[in-house]
Amino acid sequence: MDNFVSDIFTYIGIPAIIGGIIWIGRNLILIGRRLQILDDMKISIDKIKHNLKVVCDALVKADSIKFNHEKLKSYSPLNLTDKGVEFIKEIGFDKTFESNKKDFYGFIRSEDPKTPYDIELASIKAVLFLFDNEYFYPVKDYLYNNPEEKKSQVAGVLGVYIRDKYMEDNEK
């Protein structure tokens, strides 16, 4: 009886174990290939992400540079004029900002700014990125009722306001 069990193990068990090892090895190779494909995709996505950031930065800066001289002073850096501060209060953005500061600051931090220029650009982009949120309804109403104003110019004014608040809060 012992020979019978031994023979069954020899004829069935050993080939099954070898087959299992081969199957596991083949699957590990396939998993390795899939991981390599994912690594290649990550490299490609990182390149696309970088290029898209460059394009976005250029577009944001190009549009927001044509600012309203009544609301911004073109000193270095850009600063709000008294009319700009009035404008922020008039449309209620000062309150909107205070209520949603985490969203704006979170977006700025996600851009990983290294310089004040980067912070300014990220602040303007934050306005454009978050523009579809409900708390921007008063700004949208203002733009609707003042068609001569351009969204990009308003974003520039609001972005300077956000930049100043961000830099003020992060000095501490």
Side-chain angles (χ1 to χ4, degrees):
M1 184 74 166
D2 284 339
N3 277 344
F4 179 71
V5 172
S6 175
D7 288 344
I8 289 177
F9 180 74
T10 303
Y11 293 119
I12 296 174
I14 292 176
I17 290 171
I18 292 172
I21 290 171
I22 291 171
W23 183 81
I24 290 171
R26 185 175 150 269
N27 283 331
L28 287 176
I29 291 170
L30 290 174
I31 290 171
R33 286 184 191 148
R34 288 185 181 130
L35 290 175
Q36 181 61 44
I37 290 170
L38 289 175
D39 286 344
D40 292 345
M41 285 177 61
K42 184 186 180 321
I43 291 168
S44 297
I45 288 171
D46 286 344
K47 287 178 184 177
I48 291 169
K49 186 176 164 184
H50 173 74
N51 291 336
L52 191 57
K53 182 178 178 355
V54 170
V55 170
C56 287
D57 290 352
L59 290 173
V60 166
K61 203 59 183 169
D63 265 355
S64 64
I65 286 176
K66 302 172 194 146
F67 55 85
N68 183 331
H69 294 282
E70 291 181 353
K71 295 178 186 150
L72 291 172
K73 293 185 250 184
S74 61
Y75 297 124
S76 181
L78 292 174
N79 289 303
L80 293 172
T81 63
D82 291 338
K83 279 192 174 188
V85 173
E86 264 180 54
F87 171 73
I88 298 284
K89 289 179 182 175
E90 175 187 321
I91 64 172
F93 189 74
D94 53 339
K95 293 177 182 136
T96 296
F97 174 77
E98 284 302 319
S99 300
N100 301 284
K101 190 185 291 192
K102 280 194 307 189
D103 288 356
F104 292 103
Y105 287 4
F107 182 87
I108 293 168
R109 283 189 209 99
S110 76
E111 292 285 303
D112 193 27
K114 306 284 190 241
T115 66
Y117 177 84
D118 296 337
I119 294 169
E120 180 177 301
L121 196 56
S123 297
I124 295 168
K125 284 169 55 176
V127 171
L128 296 171
F129 182 79
L130 299 170
F131 198 75
D132 287 332
N133 288 329
E134 191 174 307
Y135 49 80
F136 267 98
Y137 288 173
V139 177
K140 290 179 179 182
D141 286 342
Y142 173 81
L143 288 170
Y144 179 77
N145 292 314
N146 297 279
E148 72 283 354
E149 292 273 1
K150 301 291 180 231
K151 177 182 173 184
S152 60
Q153 293 171 339
V154 171
V157 174
L158 301 180
V160 168
Y161 178 80
I162 294 167
R163 176 208 65 195
D164 291 346
K165 294 293 186 181
Y166 180 85
M167 291 176 76
E168 181 182 300
D169 287 347
N170 286 289
E171 277 181 2
K172 302 171 185 175

